Amino acid sequence: MERRLVGIPASPGVAVGPVHLLWWEVPEVRHRIIPDEGIPDEQTRFIGAVERSKTRLRQVRERVEGSAGPQEAAIFDVQLSILEDAELLTGVAELIKQNLAAEKAFDIVMSDWRTRFARHSHPMLRERVGDLTDVHIRVLTLLLGLPDHDPIDVPKGTNAIVVTHDLTPSLTVQLDREAIAGIATDAGTRTSHVAILARSLGLPAVVGLRSVTTELTGRERVIIDGSTGMLAINPSDEDIAQYEQRAREEVAAETELRELVTADAVTTDGVAITLRANVDLPEDSDYAAATGADGVGLMRTEFLVLGRAAMPDEDEQYKAYTKVVSAFHGRPVIIRTFDIGGDKLPIGGFPAEANPFLGWRAIRMCLDQPDMFRTQLRALMRAAVHGDVRILLPLVVSAEEVHGARMLLDEAADELAERGVEFRRDVPLGVMIETPAAAISAETLVDGVSFFSIGTNDLVQYTLAVDRGNANLASRFTPTHPAVLQLIRRTVEVGHEHDIEVAVCGEMGSHPLLAFALLGLGVREMSVTPRSVLVVKRMIRSVSVEAARAAVEAALKARTAADAEFILAERIGEFGIVTRSAQG
Ligand code: PEP
Ligand code: MG
């Protein structure tokens, strides 16, 4: 019988397929004592699980080497060597000898190792915590007889719907697009990174379903509708037919929109808007360029790092940036330096933090690791030879950070000059406005800066103290909150006073209703998810800036985000544009 769950629509499109339940968390282990005579069998059971895990890891290694290359595959060598470590194996054997069940013995030893490594002063060793966690999960899964799922082990052509509690970006980048048709998660919101990445991969996704992993056994078929947030369990043939019809309609609507590819993004009162696309992976650049976008307003370079054990070197980065620059044939390409940290971590991770979103992320991490940062800056200045590259710094809160980045940029340029490599030194530098601090004190950030780009995902998160990835808070993630609208307005004013371009590259621009509010707040440049370029262009071509300004003036007087949204929806409705709720 069919059941339906409703979550948050995170990436449009309809997908039908078998469930691939991905359980990638350390399972809970009960204390279990075994009698003396059971000890030899328990030792054999443990060794058997270790050997099976190793066989499994070798298979995964081979597959990843084929699909992603030897560097990515090297992660699995680290994990194999953990399973061969004599100290680990004897540690577990000793505890089994003391009558502990194999799973409990292994759990105790691994938990201890993970804690020790997490506290280690050497960063290389701290990075191993992620590998230890993977091994911990893999062996316990076998010892406890739990369904044995590998996050990336889905045969091509399966059209599986990955169902999981929360898909970390590092797992997301390992998903094989030829095997997976969609994503459904308990956690997450529209602006969590899994949602952003799903949109960029063109995979339908429903997030914030809260309990989908416990509702499913892994043997079902489901439909997910990434435009409405619906997930139907074991749908009837009729339902499937109906949804397939919906999918065809969506394709038809997209075909109609494609007529706007070459049209100008100009409002009915003649104001031209620069409409760019966000690119998360270099492979997305052809699709993004085909939308007719005026260049790239945000390339999130951290997606080059996620899911990998080692940082890409200068040449690899240079090639990745050049690919995007070439796809846009001279149109501006704004590339953001690594925004690693928060929920965007490479495999192996970084030290666990109590408050990762308030932690060692983005520009902070880059300034503290100057070698890594200069490598990226050199790759960017080399790629700038091939087009109009501009560099964007994430999560800036102070002028010192801009100054520090500028110094490293100069040093990186000197290094390239010394090497005699072709590069461009005068690459424009911009800063992201993503915190109340940056918006309120935007004047302090203008020196040597050519542009601001407002990251509304983080700006809303930090202004309202609402975790952008927490499904329980999705209805409180309200970009139309008066505080958010005022901070954007203030940033735009400062930009105008100092002759600095102000763009918006957060998800707010991808939502027609919110993009209408941005027009009213004076924003003339937006960078949106590639799939939204034409929808937003249609909105721009249907409204006047005059009306948007009046609407936002009224919205700014509202006492609540909901009232403000209601006013905006009413005003944009006068132009025949109907939009869904902007929350979450
Ligand atoms: C933002 O915060 O709005 C933004 C564009 O950056 P990210 O979503 O990558 O944090
Ligand atoms: Mg951000």
Side-chain angles (χ1 to χ4, degrees):
M1 223 199 51
E2 186 203 304
R3 275 184 302 138
R4 288 181 178 216
L5 305 177
V6 178
I8 299 165
S11 175
V14 173
V16 186
V19 167
H20 176 78
L21 202 53
L22 192 157
W23 199 257
W24 205 244
E25 276 162 64
V26 178
E28 214 158 299
V29 181
R30 281 188 310 116
H31 195 76
R32 194 162 68 85
I33 297 291
I34 43 157
D36 285 347
E37 61 276 18
I39 290 175
D41 282 352
E42 203 60 8
Q43 300 282 20
T44 313
R45 201 165 74 84
F46 171 60
I47 295 301
V50 168
E51 287 309 317
R52 264 189 296 152
S53 298
K54 277 161 54 182
T55 309
R56 207 48 204 281
L57 276 170
R58 284 192 203 100
Q59 290 163 348
V60 177
R61 189 196 188 293
E62 203 171 307
R63 203 179 45 241
V64 172
E65 178 150 20
S67 60
Q71 227 170 350
E72 280 74 6
I75 299 157
F76 301 102
D77 290 337
V78 175
Q79 300 191 7
L80 278 162
S81 68
I82 293 171
L83 283 173
E84 279 163 4
D85 188 281
E87 190 193 329
L88 178 97
L89 298 177
T90 47
V92 177
E94 280 305 315
L95 289 177
I96 297 177
K97 268 192 219 153
Q98 293 166 31
N99 301 82
L100 268 189
E103 65 276 8
K104 192 65 196 171
F106 183 70
D107 188 42
I108 289 174
V109 174
M110 283 308 278
S111 304
D112 177 46
W113 273 44
R114 284 168 55 207
T115 315
R116 275 197 283 142
F117 274 67
R119 292 195 185 130
H120 208 285
S121 58
H122 198 295
M124 279 287 283
L125 291 176
R126 284 202 304 265
E127 281 180 29
R128 293 282 75 84
V129 174
D131 296 312
L132 289 167
T133 308
D134 275 3
V135 168
H136 196 168
I137 296 170
R138 201 174 277 282
V139 177
L140 275 188
T141 301
L142 292 174
L143 287 172
L144 291 168
L146 297 171
D148 177 17
H149 294 294
D150 197 296
I152 48 176
D153 185 14
V154 183
K156 288 195 192 305
T158 310
N159 269 344
I161 311 294
V162 169
V163 177
T164 186
H165 178 66
D166 191 9
L167 203 52
T168 59
S170 52
L171 282 180
T172 315
V173 290
Q174 291 180 73
L175 297 177
D176 181 352
R177 296 186 224 186
E178 289 176 36
I180 308 268
I183 298 171
T185 60
D186 288 335
T189 62
R190 263 189 65 75
T191 48
S192 54
H193 286 110
V194 55
I196 292 171
L197 197 60
R199 284 197 285 281
S200 125
L201 294 172
L203 278 177
V206 178
V207 299
L209 284 155
R210 290 162 196 251
S211 60
V212 64
T213 48
T214 48
E215 304 260 349
L216 297 173
T217 63
R219 288 186 292 275
E220 300 84 350
R221 259 174 97 69
V222 292
I223 301 177
I224 60 166
D225 183 342
S227 309
T228 62
M230 191 268 333
L231 178 144
I233 305 170
N234 288 332
S236 63
D237 290 346
E238 251 166 71
D239 276 318
I240 293 178
Q242 208 180 341
Y243 270 90
E244 282 173 346
Q245 172 65 18
R246 270 265 338 265
R248 280 193 290 276
E249 281 165 17
E250 279 190 15
V251 172
E254 211 166 294
T255 312
E256 201 184 303
L257 272 177
R258 294 213 73 79
E259 285 170 18
L260 294 179
V261 167
T262 52
D264 293 330
V266 178
T267 60
T268 55
D269 47 356
V271 179
I273 307 298
T274 304
L275 188 55
R276 299 200 164 118
N278 291 348
V279 167
D280 295 338
L281 296 165
E283 301 89 79
D284 300 340
S285 43
D286 290 335
Y287 173 77
T291 62
D294 304 317
V296 173
L298 168 67
M299 177 186 178
R300 291 180 166 95
T301 57
E302 55 277 9
F303 285 109
L304 298 174
V305 178
L306 300 179
R308 303 197 20 173
M311 298 298 286
D313 64 17
E314 183 186 315
D315 272 338
E316 189 183 342
Q317 289 188 50
Y318 163 71
K319 283 185 196 132
Y321 306 146
T322 304
K323 183 173 166 62
V324 182
V325 172
S326 311
F328 279 86
H329 303 288
R331 281 174 273 169
V333 173
I334 299 174
I335 305 183
R336 183 173 73 184
T337 57
F338 294 132
D339 184 2
I340 303 170
D343 64 343
K344 294 185 282 192
L345 293 172
I347 280 184
F350 280 86
E353 294 184 299
N355 292 300
F357 275 117
L358 304 182
W360 197 49
R361 75 174 272 212
I363 190 72
R364 306 166 185 186
M365 178 186 278
C366 288
L367 290 173
D368 290 351
Q369 306 202 86
D371 287 345
M372 178 193 88
F373 197 24
R374 278 200 314 272
T375 303
Q376 181 173 39
L377 297 172
R378 287 195 304 271
L380 287 167
M381 283 187 282
R382 283 174 58 195
V385 170
H386 306 289
D388 182 355
V389 169
R390 306 174 189 182
I391 297 177
L392 179 58
L393 306 172
L395 209 73
V396 167
V397 295
S398 76
E400 284 108 322
E401 289 163 341
V402 182
H403 180 67
R406 167 68 66 192
M407 300 236 298
L408 288 171
L409 192 65
D410 289 342
E411 280 174 33
D414 294 343
E415 284 160 7
L416 289 172
E418 210 162 292
R419 264 169 41 197
V421 196
E422 240 196 315
F423 74 101
R424 228 185 81 203
R425 193 183 272 272
D426 60 339
V427 180
L429 196 62
V431 299
M432 290 210 56
I433 304 292
E434 301 188 272
T435 58
I440 291 169
S441 63
E443 286 100 332
T444 64
L445 302 175
V446 298
D447 280 348
V449 163
S450 310
F451 62 101
F452 286 157
S453 192
I454 306 177
T456 51
N457 308 332
D458 278 315
L459 186 62
V460 173
Q461 154 165 279
Y462 293 125
T463 304
L464 305 182
V466 170
D467 177 348
R468 60 193 270 181
N470 186 334
N472 291 328
L473 299 176
S475 63
R476 291 184 168 87
F477 189 92
T478 47
T480 53
H481 189 289
V484 176
L485 298 181
Q486 284 173 35
L487 289 172
I488 296 172
R489 182 161 71 174
R490 170 157 183 81
T491 308
V492 172
E493 281 167 6
V494 172
H496 288 169
E497 275 162 29
H498 294 268
D499 218 7
I500 285 182
E501 283 170 33
V502 180
V504 168
C505 64
E507 294 298 306
M508 215 172 148
S510 300
H511 191 294
L513 178 78
L514 301 176
F516 176 64
L518 293 173
L519 290 182
L521 289 166
V523 172
R524 298 291 173 263
E525 191 176 315
M526 294 180 214
S527 188
V528 306
T529 177
R531 284 182 181 262
S532 298
V533 169
L534 297 174
V535 184
V536 173
K537 194 189 273 187
R538 182 170 59 190
M539 181 282 291
I540 291 170
R541 291 171 57 82
S542 312
V543 304
S544 67
V545 158
E546 193 53 40
R549 199 178 288 137
V552 97
E553 278 311 320
L556 272 160
K557 293 199 183 91
R559 282 180 49 246
T560 66
D563 288 353
E565 187 177 329
F566 182 80
I567 293 166
L568 290 166
E570 215 173 36
R571 300 290 179 98
I572 203 172
E574 288 167 15
F575 296 97
I577 298 174
V578 182
T579 58
R580 55 170 179 73
S581 167
Q583 290 172 12

